[in-house]
Amino acid sequence: MSTQQALKQPMTVNGLDVQTAFDTIDAIKTDPTLARFQFRARNHWITGGTNRSTIRDFYGAGREDDSRESAFEFMNGEPPVLLGDNEGANPVEFLLHALAGCVTTTLVLHAAARGITIRELSTELEGDLDVRGLLGLDETVSPGYEEIRIRMKIEADCSEEALADLMTVAQAHSPVCNTVCRPVPVKIEHVTA
Amino acid sequence: MSTQQALKQPMTVNGLDVQTAFDTIDAIKTDPTLARFQFRARNHWITGGTNRSTIRDFYGAGREDDSRESAFEFMNGEPPVLLGDNEGANPVEFLLHALAGCVTTTLVLHAAARGITIRELSTELEGDLDVRGLLGLDETVSPGYEEIRIRMKIEADCSEEALADLMTVAQAHSPVCNTVCRPVPVKIEHVTA
């Protein structure tokens, strides 16, 4: 391999193109408005606890994204004990999926930036909730999760100390984890057709 | 139809079996421990911003659920502008899906309990975030959503006032909306194989 070819090889760590990541960071440092993203979802109720979302477009890095040829579609459902027929995972389970993925990606990204190779990473999540909140049976019971626990199994080419630091960084910088840990305003507006 | 047959017909409103819902509520009032649920997800990192969750078992209504013959599987991915190849929707988009579904199901459930028929219900969500938080470029920038807006289109057999009240009830009692609006503790523990 010639030096020229070697220079053209993308340097990937943990499956991420580190040069592109650093280029992105440099661009954002020059123009912070590039960091502004707006994500979107459209949802349509079907019946009972069944509804479907479509997700495709978003705004980010200064433009409307057009990289997706078709929309992602996801079905919410409920198990029989919550009056459904398992038409899909339910919304609080999708929240755990979002949280697991976000903490994982955030950790892998920060590891790559530090040159740490992750060999394996898996998580198990559990969250407790009391459906008296959902049903409005006791207004002192919060409808949402009381607590969410993440058990993380991780193997990486770094010290235990560096690994513990990575886990702290991932928790502090994960957008979904931050959205869950912090009070985020949700505004609902009634629109007419 | 005989009276006996009529009595056997489940009374469904908005696709929900209202009698079963009220029976559940009565059972919970007698034994509040039946309201305790624990939901779970397992996630495995693949590469870069790609990881897959499996969701199947949960605890609720006093027992481990066994209603699902197989696990649901969902893939997180990232668009090219966030160093991926659209292997799946990304975690912050899945969060919007979870929120849309939860507010919808909560509204439909409370409408059914009030005998209000929903004819149509769809939502559009958008959430703003600044990836300087994720990247750790500015510690004054929160990594999560700054705000999430839900535009709801809804048609129901009730007054505008009853509809506005339903929307308020849905927002206040939705488990995902409450998890987002309220600070919920997330604990990450490092486990060894």
Side-chain angles (χ1 to χ4, degrees):
Chain A
M1 191 189 292
S2 73
T3 308
Q4 200 169 26
Q5 278 177 316
L7 285 171
K8 281 184 183 170
Q9 294 293 314
M11 191 182 93
T12 61
V13 181
N14 303 329
L16 293 170
D17 180 343
V18 179
Q19 191 53 54
T20 302
F22 284 124
D23 288 349
T24 302
I25 287 169
D26 286 341
I28 288 172
K29 280 180 176 167
T30 305
D31 179 3
T33 66
L34 295 175
R36 301 205 58 77
F37 279 68
Q38 182 184 89
F39 293 101
R40 302 162 190 151
R42 289 167 184 80
N43 183 279
H44 190 76
W45 174 58
I46 299 168
T47 185
T50 316
N51 56 76
R52 182 190 289 116
S53 295
T54 54
I55 290 172
R56 183 175 180 179
D57 54 296
F58 66 89
Y59 176 90
R63 59 191 282 273
E64 284 292 320
D65 184 81
D66 59 2
S67 69
R68 293 164 171 173
E69 286 179 18
S70 59
F72 296 110
E73 296 203 358
F74 307 107
M75 185 84 100
N76 280 301
E78 293 291 348
V81 71
L82 291 170
L83 308 178
D85 196 24
N86 284 321
E87 305 86 352
N90 79 9
V92 288
E93 292 176 315
F94 271 108
L95 177 75
L96 296 183
H97 163 63
L99 179 60
C102 197
V103 168
T104 296
T105 296
T106 305
L107 190 148
V108 166
L109 175 69
H110 282 270
R114 295 165 184 211
I116 298 171
T117 298
I118 305 292
R119 288 195 303 266
E120 217 233 288
L121 171 49
S122 57
T123 52
E124 289 187 6
L125 285 77
E126 52 187 36
D128 309 313
L129 66 81
D130 187 319
V131 296
R132 286 180 297 169
L134 161 67
L135 297 169
L137 296 182
D138 184 340
E139 297 297 331
T140 67
V141 172
S142 290
Y145 279 120
E146 292 154 20
E147 178 183 282
I148 299 173
R149 295 172 294 282
I150 304 179
R151 283 188 297 271
M152 183 177 281
K153 220 166 83 180
I154 179 167
E155 289 175 28
D157 288 334
C158 67
S159 67
E160 279 300 310
E161 194 183 354
L163 202 52
D165 187 47
L166 260 185
M167 287 172 63
T168 304
V169 165
Q171 175 160 21
H173 294 86
S174 155
V176 173
C177 192
N178 179 265
T179 300
V180 168
C181 292
R182 187 173 54 92
V184 171
V186 175
K187 295 183 178 167
I188 306 187
E189 181 196 0
H190 184 187
V191 294
T192 42
Chain B
M1 192 189 290
S2 73
T3 309
Q4 201 169 24
Q5 278 178 317
L7 285 171
K8 281 182 181 169
Q9 296 292 317
M11 192 182 93
T12 61
V13 180
N14 304 329
L16 293 170
D17 180 343
V18 179
Q19 191 54 53
T20 301
F22 283 124
D23 288 349
T24 302
I25 287 169
D26 286 341
I28 289 172
K29 281 181 178 168
T30 306
D31 179 3
T33 66
L34 294 176
R36 299 205 60 77
F37 279 68
Q38 183 184 90
F39 292 102
R40 302 163 189 149
R42 289 168 183 79
N43 184 279
H44 190 76
W45 174 57
I46 299 168
T47 186
T50 316
N51 57 76
R52 182 190 289 114
S53 296
T54 54
I55 291 173
R56 183 176 181 181
D57 54 296
F58 66 88
Y59 176 89
R63 58 190 283 273
E64 283 293 320
D65 184 81
D66 59 2
S67 69
R68 293 164 171 174
E69 286 177 18
S70 59
F72 296 110
E73 296 203 0
F74 307 107
M75 185 84 100
N76 280 301
E78 293 291 349
V81 71
L82 292 170
L83 308 178
D85 197 23
N86 285 321
E87 306 85 352
N90 79 7
V92 288
E93 292 175 315
F94 271 108
L95 177 76
L96 296 183
H97 163 63
L99 178 60
C102 197
V103 168
T104 296
T105 296
T106 305
L107 189 148
V108 166
L109 174 68
H110 281 271
R114 295 166 184 211
I116 297 172
T117 298
I118 306 293
R119 288 195 302 266
E120 217 234 289
L121 172 49
S122 58
T123 53
E124 289 187 7
L125 284 77
E126 52 187 39
D128 310 313
L129 64 82
D130 187 320
V131 296
R132 285 180 298 168
L134 161 67
L135 297 168
L137 296 181
D138 185 338
E139 297 297 331
T140 67
V141 172
S142 291
Y145 279 121
E146 291 153 21
E147 177 182 282
I148 299 172
R149 293 171 295 282
I150 304 178
R151 283 188 296 271
M152 182 177 283
K153 220 167 82 180
I154 179 167
E155 289 174 26
D157 288 335
C158 66
S159 67
E160 279 300 310
E161 194 183 355
L163 202 54
D165 187 47
L166 260 184
M167 288 173 62
T168 304
V169 164
Q171 176 160 21
H173 294 87
S174 155
V176 173
C177 192
N178 179 264
T179 300
V180 169
C181 292
R182 187 172 54 93
V184 171
V186 175
K187 294 181 178 168
I188 306 187
E189 180 194 2
H190 183 187
V191 294
T192 43

